[in-house]
Amino acid sequence: MPQSELLAATTQQLAALPAWVRQRNQSATYPRAFMEAAMESGASREQLLQAADITPDQIDDPAGRLSLQETWKLGAAALSLTGNGSLGFASGDRMPLTAHGNLGYALMCAGTPREAIAILERFWHLRGRGAQLMVSESEDRLFMELVLELSAPDALRDMLMSSMLTSMYRGIEFLIPQLPEQRQIWLYGQEPAGFDRWRRRLPTVRFGMPQAGISLAGDISLLDQPLPTANPEALTLALAQCERESALVDDADDTLRRARAALTLGADGYPSPEALADSLHLTPRTLRRRLQEQGYSYQQLLEAARRRDSCQMLADPDLEIRRIGEALGYGDPANFTRAFKGWAGLSPREWRKRQTGD
């Protein structure tokens, strides 16, 4: 999509989304980072704020609150006015743990990195509204996946993901000075122009991936080492503040989050739309309507679940690719190969080879 059309497309999509995206309950820290990064790339502050319908007082107030709609519109305006697809890395790099308020302080005071990750999962909604954090762990790998809860144009999606994941990685660097050997950031989109500046400042960034997140592989026991900044008394106070913030945040419809969590692979495959609705205590019609309100459908969630599970299953070299396709619901191996290449740009065999290095 041409950058000139991005802001209009974003505005149009946001207008059709639930009312909670217009509630001003999110910190101005993040849109301010978008604005500052865009200004470094030559955009006018006045044009940015005007495009997003944000006043100078709103963005300059350290305790200011903006809506998700305003934040996303400012991000789209930043991309439109600069044409710089690497703005997400620049904005995320501006947000160390201290930029995340009480949540950042709680993470710093946690006893171990594992405890910090659990706190991040618990209170992610305070700072990551509009995206869902899902953490999975195996014997030698931790993957922190981000999934947008609302539909957004690809360019804006990629900017938001790169911003959040860069900021998360900076936090991980602070908490775990000795990181596992293999560190990667995964992103959906293709490598943007201007990324060379960030290549040397970040771990391996893999583009065109079927998931977006941070992958840590190797000695995961490092997550259980004591943190040098651990402070039990300060942690208790910070968590209490997070609880107060959480009570003030208006609850959004969590149907999408619950549907994602319930759409798991069982012995008989994935739940049908009817079975999924029943597990959520909804009628199929209500489930379909609520997903549509957030820009999604059952089929989109199913494809996302297949992407997620295919990557996890392909990581096991003992599983035949044909069997993986069958388990995911592809009776014809060629259909699985075609679908996977659409997600990752590689065949399942090529993906496995790249992952294992064989």
Side-chain angles (χ1 to χ4, degrees):
M1 175 185 298
Q3 295 291 348
S4 59
E5 299 177 8
L6 177 61
L7 181 58
T10 301
T11 302
Q12 184 177 4
Q13 285 189 243
L14 285 166
L17 293 176
W20 65 264
V21 304
R22 290 175 280 282
Q23 296 167 354
R24 287 179 173 158
N25 52 20
Q26 292 293 284
S27 170
T29 298
Y30 310 122
R32 189 182 303 122
F34 293 159
M35 181 184 70
E36 292 172 352
M39 289 171 62
E40 279 191 355
S41 289
S44 158
R45 170 185 164 98
E46 291 73 21
Q47 283 183 299
L48 287 164
L49 296 180
Q50 183 178 12
D53 295 322
I54 296 173
T55 67
D57 289 344
Q58 287 176 289
I59 200 76
D60 292 337
D61 183 357
R65 288 288 185 267
L66 294 174
S67 67
L68 186 69
Q69 180 183 53
E70 291 166 328
T71 299
W72 282 21
K73 284 181 68 176
L74 186 56
L79 285 172
S80 296
L81 292 173
T82 66
N84 183 356
S86 294
L87 280 181
F89 301 104
S91 61
D93 198 52
R94 294 172 174 272
M95 294 184 282
L97 281 176
T98 51
H100 306 300
N102 291 315
L103 176 55
Y105 190 51
L107 298 177
M108 294 172 64
C109 296
T112 65
R114 188 180 301 281
E115 183 180 15
I117 290 170
I119 292 171
L120 183 62
E121 284 189 277
R122 178 180 172 189
F123 292 109
W124 172 261
H125 63 285
L126 296 180
R127 292 281 167 160
R129 199 75 178 269
Q132 181 181 357
L133 171 66
M134 297 181 290
V135 179
S136 59
E137 183 179 345
S138 62
E139 184 177 344
D140 60 355
R141 181 172 180 258
L142 179 83
F143 192 73
M144 303 174 68
E145 181 181 8
L146 288 183
V147 181
L148 284 188
E149 293 185 298
L150 302 165
S151 181
D154 288 352
L156 178 61
R157 176 204 64 189
D158 294 340
M159 176 187 173
L160 295 170
M161 289 296 187
S162 59
S163 180
M164 287 186 282
L165 291 173
T166 299
S167 179
M168 284 174 61
Y169 184 77
R170 290 292 180 240
I172 291 171
E173 278 187 314
F174 181 87
L175 293 174
I176 319 174
Q178 184 183 353
L179 285 165
E181 295 177 3
Q182 298 179 31
R183 308 180 293 276
Q184 297 180 349
I185 294 177
W186 291 13
L187 292 166
Y188 295 120
Q190 299 305 308
E191 179 178 320
F195 178 69
D196 283 344
R197 174 188 174 190
W198 301 100
R199 197 183 308 278
R200 296 181 297 275
R201 302 182 60 180
L202 293 170
T204 299
V205 179
R206 300 186 62 183
F207 297 95
M209 302 298 280
Q211 294 171 282
I214 294 176
S215 172
L216 302 177
D219 184 7
I220 301 301
S221 66
L222 294 171
L223 299 177
D224 297 310
Q225 293 185 353
L227 287 176
T229 54
N231 186 322
E233 181 179 359
L235 175 62
T236 299
L237 294 174
L239 290 177
Q241 291 294 333
C242 288
E243 291 284 7
R244 293 188 185 96
E245 280 190 51
S246 185
L248 295 174
V249 174
D250 293 328
D251 290 334
D253 183 354
D254 67 349
T255 300
L256 181 61
R257 177 186 59 78
R258 293 167 57 217
R260 286 188 192 279
L263 200 56
T264 57
L265 185 60
D268 298 323
Y270 294 98
S272 66
E274 294 75 21
L276 180 62
D278 186 62
S279 70
L280 300 178
H281 307 291
L282 300 170
T283 66
R285 182 177 179 180
T286 298
L287 173 61
R288 183 169 58 253
R289 175 178 56 78
R290 290 189 180 180
L291 291 179
Q292 287 176 342
E293 287 174 349
Q294 294 185 263
Y296 285 90
S297 67
Y298 168 84
Q299 191 61 35
Q300 286 175 297
L301 298 190
L302 177 61
E303 289 303 295
R306 284 171 165 168
R307 284 200 306 269
R308 175 197 66 212
D309 295 337
S310 64
C311 291
Q312 293 175 357
M313 297 168 79
L314 285 167
D316 183 348
D318 294 328
L319 284 177
E320 294 182 23
I321 291 176
R322 177 175 59 85
R323 296 294 187 190
I324 293 174
E326 291 175 353
L328 295 174
Y330 296 97
D332 185 343
N335 289 337
F336 173 49
T337 298
R338 188 178 304 109
F340 193 87
K341 288 188 73 172
W343 303 329
L346 299 170
S347 71
R349 192 174 306 279
E350 291 169 333
W351 164 271
R352 171 175 278 174
K353 185 175 181 179
R354 177 176 292 187
Q355 294 298 305
T356 61
D358 295 336

